[in-house]
Amino acid sequence: MKIEGKEYRAFWFENNTVKFIDQRKLPYNFEIYTAKTVDDIAFAIKDMIVRGAPAIGAAAAYGMVLGKGKTHETANKLSKTRPTAYDLFYAIDYMEGEINKGKNPIDAANNYVEDVIDRCKNRGKNGEKLIEDGMRILTHCNAGALATVDYGTALAPIRLAHRTGKKLFVYADETRPRCQGLLTSWELMQEGIKHSVIADNAAGYFMKNGEIDMVIVGADRIAKNGDFANKIGTYEKAVLAKENDIPFYVAAPVSTFDKNIEDGSRIKIEERERDELAKINGKTIMPEWIVVKNPAFDVTPSKYVTGYITEKEIVK
Ligand code: MRU
């Protein structure tokens, strides 16, 4: 992605460290977090310095490089960071396999990351064909370059459609409580794509008023029957899209498809801490006695999905 004229990835390997654009600080401050150890990488994933399923997987691949000589222990530590994103486990398995075969860990991790990016580009090319000139597209959470190292899942087709000259308008759900919609807005601003951030609960209003032509979201884990987990609030957007006859697409790489589970009921949903809701910018907005529930993801049944945009094809 281009930031003020300079090409960036969400993170990169440099001098035996991993440099991350600190996503907790965006869109206000552009800061780099340097991970020197496996613990630093685990912290970056857990605290959401890096986030989004493919990016979490790629960060873990570099984590396996920093943990060289302690492959099993490192894999164990990294796999405990975030439970829902399948890419995390896919990447750790891949790295363990390559290291056990005697491959140089940094070569394996670099291959993994380049592959993640190539897949994003191909997915973008496939998805771009679905986007017609003048379309107004809703997306939820951030499924852009920040979430995938570069290009994005849901944002890749949008990026490419814009670059081919199609006129677009994007509605970016704010996505409480972490407000990943602001990250989407930041990426779209860099790319010059017209958009508005809307409160999550405004999406139905725009759908019913005929202002949304298509929904594209990413996924954290997709079961064999097509049920998928994605950022909390995705399920209700999918139900509303069906109710309003709006096509609803899921853009995801093969590394998000979990072939070990039959349906979405088997997906473990991450519960995050109270403070994500109870505080805004460090300021407490609710008294101590208020009990909070904070699931980070929900599961959308496959019957609501028009198609899955993969790097190989669009699966209806
Ligand atoms: O909690 P997050 O910000 O890691 O959640 C991210 C999402 O839900 C994305 O939509 C998903 O990972 C797919 S993005 C490439």
Side-chain angles (χ1 to χ4, degrees), residues 95-106:
M95 286 299 293
E96 272 192 299
E98 294 297 283
I99 293 167
N100 290 339
K101 277 190 246 160
K103 186 127 191 207
N104 183 348
I106 187 59

Side-chain angles (χ1 to χ4, degrees), residues 278-298:
K279 290 186 178 169
I280 291 182
N281 286 340
K283 188 175 180 305
T284 300
I285 58 153
M286 45 178 97
E288 279 303 312
W289 54 264
I290 292 183
V291 178
V292 159
K293 282 196 188 295
N294 186 16
F297 301 96
D298 57 24

Side-chain angles (χ1 to χ4, degrees), residues 271-312:
E271 279 280 339
R272 290 190 62 91
E273 60 273 24
R274 181 183 189 277
D275 275 0
E276 285 190 346
L277 267 103
K279 290 186 178 169
I280 291 182
N281 286 340
K283 188 175 180 305
T284 300
I285 58 153
M286 45 178 97
E288 279 303 312
W289 54 264
I290 292 183
V291 178
V292 159
K293 282 196 188 295
N294 186 16
F297 301 96
D298 57 24
V299 173
T300 301
S302 58
K303 67 176 179 181
Y304 293 107
V305 181
T306 311
Y308 302 84
I309 306 170
T310 74
E311 48 273 32
K312 290 194 187 125

Side-chain angles (χ1 to χ4, degrees), residues 23 37 43 80 92 96 107 130 141 148 167 171 215-216 234 257 265 272 300:
Q23 300 189 35
T37 63
F43 173 75
K80 292 206 174 91
I92 293 171
E96 272 192 299
D107 291 341
L130 297 167
C141 194
T148 63
K167 288 197 175 52
Y171 287 89
V215 184
I216 314 182
T234 301
F257 287 79
S265 66
R272 290 190 62 91
T300 301

Side-chain angles (χ1 to χ4, degrees), residues 58-211:
Y62 282 140
M64 295 291 283
V65 177
L66 297 184
K68 63 177 174 289
K70 292 184 177 167
T71 302
H72 189 67
E73 197 186 319
T74 305
N76 211 15
K77 190 173 274 177
L78 292 170
S79 62
K80 292 206 174 91
T81 50
R82 295 195 73 189
T84 306
Y86 187 60
D87 297 65
L88 172 67
F89 304 93
Y90 183 95
I92 293 171
D93 266 10
Y94 167 85
M95 286 299 293
E96 272 192 299
E98 294 297 283
I99 293 167
N100 290 339
K101 277 190 246 160
K103 186 127 191 207
N104 183 348
I106 187 59
D107 291 341
N110 282 336
N111 285 347
Y112 186 85
V113 172
E114 292 309 322
D115 191 50
V116 166
I117 297 170
D118 281 349
R119 286 171 192 276
C120 284
K121 284 189 205 159
N122 290 334
R123 214 174 311 111
K125 281 183 201 152
N126 287 338
E128 185 269 328
K129 295 181 197 124
L130 297 167
I131 300 177
E132 290 163 26
D133 192 40
M135 269 190 162
R136 298 150 304 171
I137 304 166
L138 176 78
T139 189
H140 189 70
C141 194
N142 169 264
L146 291 166
T148 63
V149 193
D150 211 351
Y151 289 90
T153 51
L155 288 196
I158 293 174
R159 237 179 246 286
L160 292 191
H162 171 73
R163 289 182 190 173
T164 59
K166 290 179 191 169
K167 288 197 175 52
L168 311 169
F169 190 87
V170 177
Y171 287 89
D173 283 334
E174 181 191 35
T175 323
R176 289 277 165 149
R178 293 292 294 225
C179 295
Q180 288 93 333
L182 304 188
L183 302 175
T184 298
S185 174
W186 185 75
E187 285 194 35
L188 295 174
M189 180 267 290
Q190 309 288 345
E191 194 82 27
I193 299 173
K194 290 199 175 122
H195 66 281
S196 284
V197 171
I198 60 170
D200 295 15
N201 48 12
Y205 166 85
F206 289 107
M207 289 194 202
K208 191 161 179 291
N209 285 352
E211 292 180 53

